[in-house]
Amino acid sequence: MTRTMEWAARGSHMRGIPRKMVIMAVGAFAKAVANLLNTTTVHNADTLINLVRSRPLGVPLITVSNHMSTLDDPVMWGFKGFPIFDSNLARWALAAEDICFKNSLLSYFFRIGKCIPITRGGGIYQKHMNEALERLSDGEWLHTFPEGKVSQEDAPIRRLKWGTASLIVRSPVTPIVLPIVHHGFEEVMPENFWFGRRPPFPLCNKSINIVIGEPMEFNLPKMTQMAISMSRNLHNPTRGWPILSPSGLDEAAQRCLYTSISDQIQTSMESLRSSSKKLSEAKSLNSGQVEE
């Protein structure tokens, strides 16, 4: 498909000038929405900032978060102190092909904005997952929404798709994985604002709360052996996945491994979600007491 425009995603495209312009423009928009139009509170921001700025050379970073609105990215990076205007530090993101790459203009915009098109339902071995792996091989930062789609319900973190777990396993260098949970974006950009449609512009005077967790560690050799053991008695229908090298994981073992990793990430995100709710309730209680 010509709309995937791999050439526009290269840092060398027009000497990187279009990328810098888009990153700066989108960054200014994110700053305005997060700090001028609304109030954003971030917990443990230094952990994210330090990993973005100064993690070990060549080590990739994967951030994962819940998906509350179509504005989560980029506005969640618009908080005070975050280096959102630096195009070299900016995240790569997996973006839905049917939304962000519908025409040539959108494709070009999102491509120079460091987005990778992903076909929802296309599986973990679709073409552009290899592009995501290339970015991880370069030691880049990649953000994913492992729930797979926007959900504005105040509900527990849903079962995660296997795409993020597969990237963790298949990356040549095991990435640092950082969970993030937020709420408030569902009020800034509600899905059903007017006759089932989103508002034309972000709403204002809302409270956004972002809770950043601690880096997660995965003992992949041990988890791989456990997955192989668990998969020996499984007889699920196959999808024709390739055998992973050098571990030799067949499809059944991969399913077990990806499920185990996804479950750990989901548990971590749910813990952050519970913490976020408690912080919000405490803030509301304190506000009420001040008003009294």
Side-chain angles (χ1 to χ4, degrees), residues 26-27 29-31 33-35 40-43 45 48-49 63-84 91 93 141 143-146 178-183 185 188 208-212 269:
V26 172
F29 169 79
K31 288 280 188 185
V33 174
N35 303 307
T40 299
T41 304
V42 184
H43 303 270
L48 173 63
I49 293 173
T63 51
V64 294
S65 75
N66 56 328
H67 204 1
M68 298 297 287
S69 80
T70 53
L71 281 186
D72 296 353
D73 182 297
V75 178
M76 64 186 296
W77 318 120
F79 62 86
K80 294 176 182 178
F82 189 81
I84 195 170
R91 91 292 172 265
W141 166 28
H143 183 71
T144 74
F145 295 104
L178 186 69
I180 302 172
V181 166
H182 52 74
H183 69 84
F185 290 112
V188 176
I208 300 168
N209 192 46
I210 301 172
V211 179
I212 298 166
M269 291 175 66

Side-chain angles (χ1 to χ4, degrees), residues 3 94-103 105-111 115 117:
R3 288 180 185 168
L94 302 184
E97 189 175 35
D98 59 321
I99 296 176
C100 302
F101 295 82
K102 291 190 292 187
N103 56 54
L105 182 61
L106 281 175
S107 296
Y108 184 69
F109 175 81
F110 282 102
R111 267 312 201 171
C115 292

Side-chain angles (χ1 to χ4, degrees), residues 10-42:
R10 297 179 191 134
S12 59
H13 169 58
M14 295 181 66
R15 299 183 179 178
I17 294 173
R19 175 180 291 179
K20 290 178 181 178
M21 293 176 63
V22 164
I23 294 297
M24 290 189 69
V26 172
F29 169 79
K31 288 280 188 185
V33 174
N35 303 307
L36 298 179
L37 300 179
N38 299 284
T39 302
T40 299
T41 304
V42 184

